[in-house]
mmCIF file of all heavy atoms in Angstrom:
data_model
loop_
_atom_site.group_PDB
_atom_site.id
_atom_site.type_symbol
_atom_site.label_atom_id
_atom_site.label_comp_id
_atom_site.label_asym_id
_atom_site.label_seq_id
_atom_site.Cartn_x
_atom_site.Cartn_y
_atom_site.Cartn_z
ATOM 1 N N SER A 857 -47.376 48.467 -1.917
ATOM 2 C CA SER A 857 -47.490 47.011 -1.751
ATOM 3 C C SER A 857 -46.324 46.270 -2.392
ATOM 4 O O SER A 857 -46.068 45.106 -2.079
ATOM 5 C CB SER A 857 -48.797 46.508 -2.374
ATOM 6 O OG SER A 857 -48.710 46.517 -3.796
ATOM 7 N N ALA A 858 -45.620 46.955 -3.321
ATOM 8 C CA ALA A 858 -44.457 46.383 -4.031
ATOM 9 C C ALA A 858 -44.834 45.194 -4.909
ATOM 10 O O ALA A 858 -43.962 44.416 -5.311
ATOM 11 C CB ALA A 858 -43.354 45.987 -3.040
ATOM 12 N N LEU A 859 -46.117 45.054 -5.229
ATOM 13 C CA LEU A 859 -46.545 43.938 -6.071
ATOM 14 C C LEU A 859 -45.936 44.031 -7.472
ATOM 15 O O LEU A 859 -45.606 43.014 -8.093
ATOM 16 C CB LEU A 859 -48.075 43.917 -6.163
ATOM 17 C CG LEU A 859 -48.701 42.723 -6.887
ATOM 18 C CD1 LEU A 859 -48.410 41.427 -6.138
ATOM 19 C CD2 LEU A 859 -50.212 42.917 -7.039
ATOM 20 N N SER A 860 -45.763 45.259 -7.961
ATOM 21 C CA SER A 860 -45.203 45.449 -9.304
ATOM 22 C C SER A 860 -43.781 44.907 -9.404
ATOM 23 O O SER A 860 -43.370 44.405 -10.461
ATOM 24 C CB SER A 860 -45.221 46.933 -9.680
ATOM 25 O OG SER A 860 -46.534 47.435 -9.691
ATOM 26 N N GLU A 861 -42.995 45.023 -8.310
ATOM 27 C CA GLU A 861 -41.625 44.503 -8.326
ATOM 28 C C GLU A 861 -41.621 42.982 -8.511
ATOM 29 O O GLU A 861 -40.793 42.425 -9.233
ATOM 30 C CB GLU A 861 -40.901 44.865 -7.023
ATOM 31 C CG GLU A 861 -40.347 46.279 -6.963
ATOM 32 C CD GLU A 861 -41.426 47.341 -6.797
ATOM 33 O OE1 GLU A 861 -42.588 46.966 -6.553
ATOM 34 O OE2 GLU A 861 -41.114 48.544 -6.905
ATOM 35 N N LEU A 862 -42.567 42.301 -7.871
ATOM 36 C CA LEU A 862 -42.667 40.849 -8.034
ATOM 37 C C LEU A 862 -43.088 40.493 -9.454
ATOM 38 O O LEU A 862 -42.532 39.571 -10.069
ATOM 39 C CB LEU A 862 -43.675 40.273 -7.035
ATOM 40 C CG LEU A 862 -43.986 38.772 -7.176
ATOM 41 C CD1 LEU A 862 -42.722 37.939 -7.027
ATOM 42 C CD2 LEU A 862 -45.042 38.340 -6.170
ATOM 43 N N GLU A 863 -44.050 41.226 -9.991
ATOM 44 C CA GLU A 863 -44.507 40.961 -11.357
ATOM 45 C C GLU A 863 -43.369 41.168 -12.353
ATOM 46 O O GLU A 863 -43.208 40.409 -13.310
ATOM 47 C CB GLU A 863 -45.692 41.859 -11.702
ATOM 48 C CG GLU A 863 -46.945 41.529 -10.900
ATOM 49 C CD GLU A 863 -48.130 42.391 -11.301
ATOM 50 O OE1 GLU A 863 -47.905 43.528 -11.767
ATOM 51 O OE2 GLU A 863 -49.275 41.943 -11.142
ATOM 52 N N GLU A 864 -42.563 42.201 -12.117
ATOM 53 C CA GLU A 864 -41.429 42.466 -13.001
ATOM 54 C C GLU A 864 -40.412 41.330 -12.919
ATOM 55 O O GLU A 864 -39.874 40.880 -13.934
ATOM 56 C CB GLU A 864 -40.776 43.793 -12.607
ATOM 57 C CG GLU A 864 -39.593 44.205 -13.490
ATOM 58 C CD GLU A 864 -40.005 44.596 -14.897
ATOM 59 O OE1 GLU A 864 -41.220 44.731 -15.151
ATOM 60 O OE2 GLU A 864 -39.113 44.751 -15.744
ATOM 61 N N ALA A 865 -40.144 40.831 -11.711
ATOM 62 C CA ALA A 865 -39.191 39.729 -11.539
ATOM 63 C C ALA A 865 -39.684 38.465 -12.237
ATOM 64 O O ALA A 865 -38.899 37.732 -12.863
ATOM 65 C CB ALA A 865 -38.972 39.462 -10.054
ATOM 66 N N LEU A 866 -40.983 38.190 -12.141
ATOM 67 C CA LEU A 866 -41.553 37.035 -12.835
ATOM 68 C C LEU A 866 -41.414 37.186 -14.347
ATOM 69 O O LEU A 866 -41.067 36.235 -15.050
ATOM 70 C CB LEU A 866 -43.035 36.876 -12.467
ATOM 71 C CG LEU A 866 -43.354 36.213 -11.127
ATOM 72 C CD1 LEU A 866 -44.837 36.336 -10.817
ATOM 73 C CD2 LEU A 866 -42.937 34.754 -11.142
ATOM 74 N N SER A 867 -41.676 38.391 -14.844
ATOM 75 C CA SER A 867 -41.566 38.648 -16.281
ATOM 76 C C SER A 867 -40.146 38.407 -16.769
ATOM 77 O O SER A 867 -39.918 37.742 -17.785
ATOM 78 C CB SER A 867 -41.979 40.088 -16.601
ATOM 79 O OG SER A 867 -43.306 40.333 -16.206
ATOM 80 N N GLN A 868 -39.189 38.949 -16.033
ATOM 81 C CA GLN A 868 -37.790 38.835 -16.438
ATOM 82 C C GLN A 868 -37.319 37.393 -16.397
ATOM 83 O O GLN A 868 -36.736 36.887 -17.350
ATOM 84 C CB GLN A 868 -36.915 39.682 -15.516
ATOM 85 C CG GLN A 868 -37.154 41.172 -15.628
ATOM 86 C CD GLN A 868 -36.514 41.936 -14.486
ATOM 87 O OE1 GLN A 868 -35.899 41.359 -13.610
ATOM 88 N NE2 GLN A 868 -36.655 43.248 -14.511
ATOM 89 N N GLY A 869 -37.574 36.726 -15.285
ATOM 90 C CA GLY A 869 -37.038 35.380 -15.094
ATOM 91 C C GLY A 869 -37.725 34.329 -15.924
ATOM 92 O O GLY A 869 -37.083 33.518 -16.579
ATOM 93 N N VAL A 870 -39.058 34.330 -15.936
ATOM 94 C CA VAL A 870 -39.803 33.255 -16.577
ATOM 95 C C VAL A 870 -39.864 33.429 -18.090
ATOM 96 O O VAL A 870 -39.450 32.566 -18.853
ATOM 97 C CB VAL A 870 -41.246 33.185 -16.017
ATOM 98 C CG1 VAL A 870 -41.994 32.028 -16.645
ATOM 99 C CG2 VAL A 870 -41.206 33.025 -14.516
ATOM 100 N N LEU A 871 -40.393 34.567 -18.530
ATOM 101 C CA LEU A 871 -40.652 34.736 -19.957
ATOM 102 C C LEU A 871 -39.369 34.886 -20.758
ATOM 103 O O LEU A 871 -39.254 34.361 -21.869
ATOM 104 C CB LEU A 871 -41.575 35.936 -20.175
ATOM 105 C CG LEU A 871 -42.903 35.841 -19.405
ATOM 106 C CD1 LEU A 871 -43.799 37.015 -19.736
ATOM 107 C CD2 LEU A 871 -43.612 34.535 -19.740
ATOM 108 N N GLY A 872 -38.384 35.603 -20.192
ATOM 109 C CA GLY A 872 -37.110 35.717 -20.899
ATOM 110 C C GLY A 872 -36.468 34.358 -21.090
ATOM 111 O O GLY A 872 -35.946 34.037 -22.160
ATOM 112 N N GLN A 873 -36.542 33.524 -20.053
ATOM 113 C CA GLN A 873 -35.962 32.186 -20.139
ATOM 114 C C GLN A 873 -36.699 31.332 -21.168
ATOM 115 O O GLN A 873 -36.078 30.611 -21.942
ATOM 116 C CB GLN A 873 -36.031 31.512 -18.764
ATOM 117 C CG GLN A 873 -35.352 30.148 -18.716
ATOM 118 C CD GLN A 873 -35.591 29.443 -17.399
ATOM 119 O OE1 GLN A 873 -36.723 29.327 -16.946
ATOM 120 N NE2 GLN A 873 -34.531 28.982 -16.774
ATOM 121 N N ARG A 874 -38.035 31.406 -21.193
ATOM 122 C CA ARG A 874 -38.791 30.600 -22.155
ATOM 123 C C ARG A 874 -38.449 30.986 -23.586
ATOM 124 O O ARG A 874 -38.314 30.129 -24.453
ATOM 125 C CB ARG A 874 -40.296 30.782 -21.930
ATOM 126 C CG ARG A 874 -40.828 30.209 -20.644
ATOM 127 C CD ARG A 874 -40.384 28.790 -20.427
ATOM 128 N NE ARG A 874 -40.916 27.862 -21.398
ATOM 129 C CZ ARG A 874 -40.462 26.638 -21.580
ATOM 130 N NH1 ARG A 874 -39.442 26.195 -20.869
ATOM 131 N NH2 ARG A 874 -40.999 25.842 -22.475
ATOM 132 N N ARG A 875 -38.303 32.274 -23.840
ATOM 133 C CA ARG A 875 -37.955 32.694 -25.206
ATOM 134 C C ARG A 875 -36.579 32.178 -25.598
ATOM 135 O O ARG A 875 -36.347 31.766 -26.738
ATOM 136 C CB ARG A 875 -37.988 34.217 -25.313
ATOM 137 C CG ARG A 875 -39.397 34.785 -25.347
ATOM 138 C CD ARG A 875 -39.388 36.225 -25.822
ATOM 139 N NE ARG A 875 -40.708 36.821 -25.744
ATOM 140 C CZ ARG A 875 -40.997 38.034 -26.195
ATOM 141 N NH1 ARG A 875 -40.057 38.763 -26.737
ATOM 142 N NH2 ARG A 875 -42.218 38.519 -26.102
ATOM 143 N N LYS A 876 -35.652 32.197 -24.650
ATOM 144 C CA LYS A 876 -34.310 31.698 -24.958
ATOM 145 C C LYS A 876 -34.327 30.210 -25.263
ATOM 146 O O LYS A 876 -33.652 29.737 -26.182
ATOM 147 C CB LYS A 876 -33.371 31.989 -23.784
ATOM 148 C CG LYS A 876 -32.985 33.459 -23.659
ATOM 149 C CD LYS A 876 -32.057 33.701 -22.478
ATOM 150 C CE LYS A 876 -31.690 35.183 -22.367
ATOM 151 N NZ LYS A 876 -30.825 35.454 -21.200
ATOM 152 N N ILE A 877 -35.115 29.448 -24.488
ATOM 153 C CA ILE A 877 -35.207 28.009 -24.716
ATOM 154 C C ILE A 877 -35.835 27.718 -26.075
ATOM 155 O O ILE A 877 -35.328 26.909 -26.860
ATOM 156 C CB ILE A 877 -36.017 27.338 -23.589
ATOM 157 C CG1 ILE A 877 -35.236 27.397 -22.272
ATOM 158 C CG2 ILE A 877 -36.346 25.890 -23.935
ATOM 159 C CD1 ILE A 877 -36.024 26.934 -21.064
ATOM 160 N N LEU A 878 -36.948 28.384 -26.365
ATOM 161 C CA LEU A 878 -37.604 28.192 -27.662
ATOM 162 C C LEU A 878 -36.695 28.663 -28.793
ATOM 163 O O LEU A 878 -36.602 28.019 -29.841
ATOM 164 C CB LEU A 878 -38.928 28.954 -27.703
ATOM 165 C CG LEU A 878 -40.055 28.415 -26.811
ATOM 166 C CD1 LEU A 878 -41.246 29.364 -26.841
ATOM 167 C CD2 LEU A 878 -40.480 27.029 -27.262
ATOM 168 N N GLY A 879 -36.017 29.790 -28.563
ATOM 169 C CA GLY A 879 -35.121 30.324 -29.588
ATOM 170 C C GLY A 879 -33.979 29.377 -29.898
ATOM 171 O O GLY A 879 -33.598 29.192 -31.064
ATOM 172 N N ALA A 880 -33.423 28.744 -28.862
ATOM 173 C CA ALA A 880 -32.325 27.799 -29.070
ATOM 174 C C ALA A 880 -32.799 26.599 -29.883
ATOM 175 O O ALA A 880 -32.096 26.122 -30.785
ATOM 176 C CB ALA A 880 -31.771 27.343 -27.723
ATOM 177 N N ALA A 881 -34.014 26.098 -29.571
ATOM 178 C CA ALA A 881 -34.558 24.954 -30.314
ATOM 179 C C ALA A 881 -34.783 25.313 -31.778
ATOM 180 O O ALA A 881 -34.458 24.532 -32.687
ATOM 181 C CB ALA A 881 -35.870 24.496 -29.674
ATOM 182 N N VAL A 882 -35.300 26.516 -32.020
ATOM 183 C CA VAL A 882 -35.563 26.947 -33.391
ATOM 184 C C VAL A 882 -34.254 27.182 -34.146
ATOM 185 O O VAL A 882 -34.126 26.822 -35.324
ATOM 186 C CB VAL A 882 -36.427 28.231 -33.400
ATOM 187 C CG1 VAL A 882 -36.554 28.779 -34.809
ATOM 188 C CG2 VAL A 882 -37.800 27.937 -32.833
ATOM 189 N N SER A 883 -33.265 27.772 -33.488
ATOM 190 C CA SER A 883 -31.973 28.029 -34.137
ATOM 191 C C SER A 883 -31.347 26.730 -34.622
ATOM 192 O O SER A 883 -30.841 26.643 -35.751
ATOM 193 C CB SER A 883 -31.017 28.728 -33.161
ATOM 194 O OG SER A 883 -31.491 30.011 -32.839
ATOM 195 N N THR A 884 -31.385 25.690 -33.771
ATOM 196 C CA THR A 884 -30.839 24.387 -34.159
ATOM 197 C C THR A 884 -31.582 23.830 -35.361
ATOM 198 O O THR A 884 -30.972 23.317 -36.304
ATOM 199 C CB THR A 884 -30.953 23.399 -32.981
ATOM 200 O OG1 THR A 884 -30.246 23.924 -31.853
ATOM 201 C CG2 THR A 884 -30.368 22.051 -33.347
ATOM 202 N N ALA A 885 -32.919 23.933 -35.329
ATOM 203 C CA ALA A 885 -33.721 23.418 -36.440
ATOM 204 C C ALA A 885 -33.442 24.192 -37.728
ATOM 205 O O ALA A 885 -33.391 23.608 -38.818
ATOM 206 C CB ALA A 885 -35.200 23.492 -36.093
ATOM 207 N N LEU A 886 -33.253 25.515 -37.617
ATOM 208 C CA LEU A 886 -32.997 26.322 -38.811
ATOM 209 C C LEU A 886 -31.660 25.976 -39.449
ATOM 210 O O LEU A 886 -31.521 25.980 -40.679
ATOM 211 C CB LEU A 886 -33.041 27.808 -38.461
ATOM 212 C CG LEU A 886 -34.426 28.424 -38.277
ATOM 213 C CD1 LEU A 886 -34.312 29.877 -37.873
ATOM 214 C CD2 LEU A 886 -35.239 28.306 -39.562
ATOM 215 N N VAL A 887 -30.661 25.679 -38.630
ATOM 216 C CA VAL A 887 -29.357 25.267 -39.171
ATOM 217 C C VAL A 887 -29.517 23.991 -39.987
ATOM 218 O O VAL A 887 -29.006 23.875 -41.108
ATOM 219 C CB VAL A 887 -28.346 25.062 -38.024
ATOM 220 C CG1 VAL A 887 -27.080 24.376 -38.546
ATOM 221 C CG2 VAL A 887 -27.980 26.395 -37.386
ATOM 222 N N GLU A 888 -30.252 23.010 -39.426
ATOM 223 C CA GLU A 888 -30.488 21.754 -40.144
ATOM 224 C C GLU A 888 -31.310 21.998 -41.405
ATOM 225 O O GLU A 888 -31.034 21.416 -42.458
ATOM 226 C CB GLU A 888 -31.208 20.764 -39.235
ATOM 227 C CG GLU A 888 -30.379 20.281 -38.052
ATOM 228 C CD GLU A 888 -31.124 19.252 -37.229
ATOM 229 O OE1 GLU A 888 -32.171 18.763 -37.704
ATOM 230 O OE2 GLU A 888 -30.672 18.943 -36.112
ATOM 231 N N LEU A 889 -32.314 22.852 -41.286
ATOM 232 C CA LEU A 889 -33.179 23.138 -42.423
ATOM 233 C C LEU A 889 -32.394 23.775 -43.567
ATOM 234 O O LEU A 889 -32.514 23.368 -44.728
ATOM 235 C CB LEU A 889 -34.299 24.061 -41.953
ATOM 236 C CG LEU A 889 -35.382 24.467 -42.944
ATOM 237 C CD1 LEU A 889 -36.708 24.631 -42.223
ATOM 238 C CD2 LEU A 889 -35.032 25.783 -43.625
ATOM 239 N N ARG A 890 -31.594 24.774 -43.242
ATOM 240 C CA ARG A 890 -30.798 25.442 -44.276
ATOM 241 C C ARG A 890 -29.813 24.469 -44.915
ATOM 242 O O ARG A 890 -29.601 24.473 -46.131
ATOM 243 C CB ARG A 890 -30.041 26.618 -43.661
ATOM 244 C CG ARG A 890 -30.906 27.852 -43.447
ATOM 245 C CD ARG A 890 -30.131 28.922 -42.708
ATOM 246 N NE ARG A 890 -30.689 30.245 -42.911
ATOM 247 C CZ ARG A 890 -30.328 31.311 -42.229
ATOM 248 N NH1 ARG A 890 -29.411 31.205 -41.284
ATOM 249 N NH2 ARG A 890 -30.869 32.486 -42.468
#
């Protein structure tokens, strides 16, 4: 059915991007905090 390939693409594109966005926001805040 190839459903796993779609699930993998969603995992890579969506969740990886969200972590990068959150990580960038936290990195900026940590610089100010330090």
Side-chain angles (χ1 to χ4, degrees):
S857 74
L859 186 64
S860 299
E861 279 73 9
L862 174 59
E863 293 183 332
E864 182 69 10
L866 280 171
S867 300
Q868 294 167 0
V870 182
L871 304 184
Q873 184 187 50
R874 292 310 294 165
R875 285 195 185 186
K876 287 180 180 178
I877 292 172
L878 290 174
V882 173
S883 294
T884 301
L886 283 177
V887 169
E888 293 183 12
L889 183 147
R890 282 174 158 170

